[in-house]
Amino acid sequence: MGKNVELGSNVYFEDGAYVEDGTKIGDNVRIGPFTQILWGSSVEDDCIIGSHCIIGHPSKFELQKTDFSITSPKVTEFVIKDPITRVGKGSIIRSDSTIYKHVVIGRKLRTGHGTLIREHVTLGDNCIVGTQAILDGYIKVGNKSMIQSQCYITQSVTIGNGVFIAPGCIFLDNKKIILGQGLDGPTVEDYVRISAGTKILPGVIIGKYALIGAGSVVTKNVPSKAIAYGVPAEVRAFQSDEDVKKYVDSIKGWQ
Amino acid sequence: MGKNVELGSNVYFEDGAYVEDGTKIGDNVRIGPFTQILWGSSVEDDCIIGSHCIIGHPSKFELQKTDFSITSPKVTEFVIKDPITRVGKGSIIRSDSTIYKHVVIGRKLRTGHGTLIREHVTLGDNCIVGTQAILDGYIKVGNKSMIQSQCYITQSVTIGNGVFIAPGCIFLDNKKIILGQGLDGPTVEDYVRISAGTKILPGVIIGKYALIGAGSVVTKNVPSKAIAYGVPAEVRAFQSDEDVKKYVDSIKGWQ
Amino acid sequence: MGKNVELGSNVYFEDGAYVEDGTKIGDNVRIGPFTQILWGSSVEDDCIIGSHCIIGHPSKFELQKTDFSITSPKVTEFVIKDPITRVGKGSIIRSDSTIYKHVVIGRKLRTGHGTLIREHVTLGDNCIVGTQAILDGYIKVGNKSMIQSQCYITQSVTIGNGVFIAPGCIFLDNKKIILGQGLDGPTVEDYVRISAGTKILPGVIIGKYALIGAGSVVTKNVPSKAIAYGVPAEVRAFQSDEDVKKYVDSIKGWQ
């Protein structure tokens, strides 16, 4: 363990866990075997960090001395200046997960295994990030949103509150795949549901309460409350207020 | 190593491997570096467990004190009461794989790297679970079935014998994405083949010997021997008995 | 550390890193915690190998004594006879990545986290292999090609120079899913761009400079410079020489 670690009470380190200088660990925290908590990390009270995790992984810029993303205007809105990693109170980070520096996470995040959260990501309270889901940097997510297993969320994406993104969805950020072109990730408004294996094209805005069907390719904006699906996704119907309420109510108890 | 470990002959532990109390390791077993065999696990003869694996990972209920899945009637059929993990004779579990408690695996499972098998999963003999494939709990799989890389198999799914699921397929369990709604995973009958990147919607039954084309979205039941594909998948033809026999014969030698 | 390690100057081993006999480590190399460099591996100058990696993982044949792939004529062209793993000068291999024996990698490979490169893979210089991308063995990739996160590249695939494959693309190798049938992976020519979540069927050739839209299923050959998309993918337009030049120029500075 490093020398300048602010350590709470009742912290349990399993075999091979280590904690660098310049970190802060709250009360009632468990750090799994072969897990590293690197400088600049703060793990708040009542967290469980699983095996083989890395908290406070160096950013691309720190490792490679370059990060082209930052030349993109839209990306700059997401920057977290301090090289910190904050894991909020009561979070559970499951094994093989990697969380970068410049990441601020609210209370009670639950992750699956092998999740990746890269630099300049802000997550609200009570979120879920599923197994092998990737938040590839420069992303904002609200409260009570769920990004399920094997999703790929690209840079410059904004996700609201109470959003459900089912397994295997992919967000795109570069319309013509010209390297160095400005990135333009999609925006997902509050209480949207996106079913599994859907692709969301760059710049698309999915309106509040919308529901996107499985395996869709969303190429244009989707209005609020719409039900859209297909390749390309078309608006097929609109949800009643009652339907919308069912979903919103179903996540109220979620904590 | 824990004190109450039943240890066979010719067991080889690599650096950083550890085995908790209340486990049983058969003859001729190799445990890779930085791998943990946790209490309640039984690794039978002739198994190879790779590096950075976890065998006997705590269930969601054990870790979070809640598991909403169990309130779903269909899910209860899959429950394995004992908090055991059994890895059958001659299995090869490759690196970075995590297998939960309440999992019973037959002989000669072969996994890729980074596979996840969550709680209440039963696997028959001679199965394959590919790299980064996720069996997300409450699942039954027969003998000689292959779930290839990056597949996501959701809760309350039943998969028969001799089934081939190509890389990147996703199974869904919740039709309208209302949390707390009863889960209803698809059923895949014996000798079905599903090509890569296909999504199978909740409650769908894919009949014996059916063949599903790549990138399909399967929204309704598929009859036995049918060839179906597209978004949404439609039945396009039926296989001859000879075609079906070719596939069945091709996996006979598989062991 | 093994005894017969050829060790350069300024090599830094983090806690739990180990290096077997019969390996060669160049100058200015950093080996991350809990990472294994196995016999037959050569890590050239200026490389960074992250945490929890395996370099020189045993091949399927070495582990299982069988590898059916090799009975397929097309696969034999990809075989690298020596059981070596060469990681070229200036490469960065991020955490949880596994690279097999019989792999030859050029200069300045950059990987994401949890990448898998199996046996008999040749990669040129300045390539990228994204987080959780799988190169499943018997593959050739040219220079300056990028295979993004969560892609699955199957056996007997050839990828040219300057190719961009966006996240979540899947390559298939077996048309009718008959086990033991000869494998026939797709071929991707120079400067092709493939957008996210696309599936490429066995034997398909994608011609030089072609651009494939997101979520496509490519069932037949695509001519040079074509823009193709959909399920199944159809040619919708052709790129002007100017459009093609924009992409080619955009990766010139890439190194």
Side-chain angles (χ1 to χ4, degrees), chain B residues 96-97 111 122 149 200 202:
Chain B
D96 299 302
S97 292
T111 81
T122 307
S149 298
I200 317 279

Side-chain angles (χ1 to χ4, degrees), chain C residues 68-80:
Chain C
F68 285 117
S69 304
I70 199 61
T71 62
S72 177
K74 194 170 176 180
V75 155
T76 58
E77 301 165 28
F78 297 85
V79 169
I80 295 170

Side-chain angles (χ1 to χ4, degrees), chain A residues 52 94 110 113 132 193, chain B residues 34 64 100 132 176 179:
Chain A
H52 312 114
R94 285 187 173 78
R110 309 288 165 89
H113 303 267
Q132 297 163 16
R193 290 168 278 172
Chain B
F34 316 116
Q64 302 190 181
Y100 272 54
Q132 296 162 16
K176 295 214 167 166
L179 308 191

Side-chain angles (χ1 to χ4, degrees), chain B residues 100-121:
Chain B
Y100 272 54
K101 281 192 176 56
H102 306 276
V103 170
V104 174
I105 295 169
R107 293 180 168 222
K108 291 193 83 163
L109 173 68
R110 309 288 166 89
T111 81
H113 303 267
T115 57
L116 173 63
I117 302 177
R118 290 188 85 145
E119 60 266 79
H120 304 292
V121 170

Side-chain angles (χ1 to χ4, degrees), chain B residues 50-110:
Chain B
S51 314
H52 312 114
C53 289
I54 306 173
I55 310 295
H57 189 284
S59 67
K60 181 185 276 190
F61 185 82
E62 195 180 338
L63 211 58
Q64 302 190 181
K65 314 301 174 209
T66 53
D67 179 358
F68 285 117
S69 305
I70 200 62
T71 62
S72 177
K74 194 170 176 179
V75 156
T76 57
E77 302 166 28
F78 297 83
V79 170
I80 295 169
K81 287 203 177 155
D82 290 331
I84 55 162
T85 307
R86 194 175 83 206
V87 179
K89 184 178 161 148
S91 293
I92 298 178
I93 309 298
R94 284 188 174 79
S95 69
D96 299 302
S97 292
T98 297
I99 301 179
Y100 272 54
K101 281 192 176 56
H102 306 276
V103 170
V104 174
I105 295 169
R107 293 180 168 222
K108 291 193 83 163
L109 173 68
R110 309 288 166 89

